[in-house]
Amino acid sequence: MIDPMPVIDAHAHCGILDRSWPQSLEAYAQQAAETDIGGVALFSPVMEIYDRYDARFVDTPAWRLRRKESNAYLLSLKPVELTVYPYFFIWNDFAVEQLSPAHCGIKWHRHAGEPVYCYDDPGCRLALDEIRRRQLPVILEEEFDHTVRFIRELAEGITVIVPHLGMLNGGFRSIAEAGLWAQENVWADTALASPDEVREYLRGYGHRRLMFGSDFPFGDPCSELRKMLSLHLDPAVEAAVLGGNFLRLQACVNPI
Ligand SMILES: [Zn+2]
């Protein structure tokens, strides 16, 4: 008998430097143990990468070190009960030289009012070239205008995952109206998205580029998974969204 495919959570935050939330691996594993989740993509917490509460934040050696430690921590996690897929959280030092063969993707994150990414820095283009070469997916949480620019101008040949079905990238509908969901290289995750938007996405764009995610610790893996199961999707569609698509995306990554 073939084991059923494990569920993979494509979106969770994990770290031990930022103590504002219980977001250690142990905290995650405890919640996931009550579910069929067998794998998880982990990103560093934002507050381990830059000061999100200071729009004029200036990078320092101390923050660069904190970022490096935070990203390295995820690489060190090898729990027996879960497969960890570490993502590298990139910031304005565009430190792609820290990428290792174990990295499974790139986390690119910013909200309105937070310090901006230097998209016009030559280092940004060079980083994107390296990301493209490695075929690493980029999970992009950004304001709407930056999201559009990133996908249309910067990310050609790179898979971009828009989290939360666009909730924090200008909204599901704005992304739809800009024609982005229809693009082959634009994927999405279901973290904290409404069941109606999940259904609408599946009707409009099919099930091949949608992945289950929880947004732990802001979302609860159990209830996020329950939300997906309660949609009673066709079994093949459900299997794809709950893990198959994630593995298909990972299979494209060129580790060296
Ligand atoms: Zn998140």
Side-chain angles (χ1 to χ4, degrees), residues 37-117:
I37 294 172
V40 59
L42 293 180
F43 328 133
S44 293
V46 177
M47 281 302 286
E48 297 188 1
I49 302 299
Y50 61 85
D51 185 353
R52 66 188 311 179
Y53 301 109
D54 179 3
R56 286 168 303 173
F57 171 73
V58 178
D59 205 12
T60 63
W63 272 96
R64 273 197 285 276
L65 187 63
R66 182 174 165 94
R67 265 202 297 284
K68 197 172 179 181
E69 278 176 21
S70 177
N71 277 310
Y73 168 72
L74 296 185
L75 288 178
S76 76
L77 299 173
K78 309 261 187 295
V80 281
E81 70 275 26
L82 276 171
T83 304
V84 168
Y85 300 90
Y87 271 46
F88 181 79
F89 198 141
I90 198 163
W91 209 63
N92 274 334
D93 49 348
F94 300 110
V96 286
E97 72 281 359
Q98 291 172 27
L99 285 172
S100 94
H103 279 118
C104 299
I106 302 289
K107 170 75 170 167
W108 198 299
H109 173 284
R110 179 186 163 269
H111 289 177
E114 295 185 2
V116 294
Y117 277 99

Side-chain angles (χ1 to χ4, degrees), residues 10 24 30 45 51 58 66 72 77 108 177 197 211-212 215:
S24 66
Q30 216 169 34
D51 185 353
V58 178
R66 182 174 165 94
L77 299 173
W108 198 299
E177 283 163 8
E197 284 178 345
M211 299 184 287
F212 161 68
D215 204 11

Side-chain angles (χ1 to χ4, degrees), residues 17 106 190:
L17 300 175
I106 302 289
T190 65

Side-chain angles (χ1 to χ4, degrees), residues 5 10 26 29 35 37 50 108 121 125 135 144 158 162 173 193 205 208 223 230 236 239 244 253 256:
M5 199 168 53
E26 292 69 29
T35 71
I37 294 172
Y50 61 85
W108 198 299
D121 183 327
R125 305 297 170 121
Q135 286 293 292
F144 179 69
I158 295 174
V162 178
R173 204 145 302 273
Y205 310 102
R208 302 276 292 165
S223 59
S230 72
V253 173
I256 40 169

Side-chain angles (χ1 to χ4, degrees), residues 11-13 43-44 46 107 109 111 139 141 163-164 168 189 191-192 214-219:
H11 183 154
H13 303 263
F43 328 133
S44 293
V46 177
K107 170 75 170 167
H109 173 284
H111 289 177
I139 181 161
E141 189 164 315
H164 314 292
L168 292 164
D189 79 38
L192 302 177
S214 72
D215 204 11
F216 169 86
F218 311 106

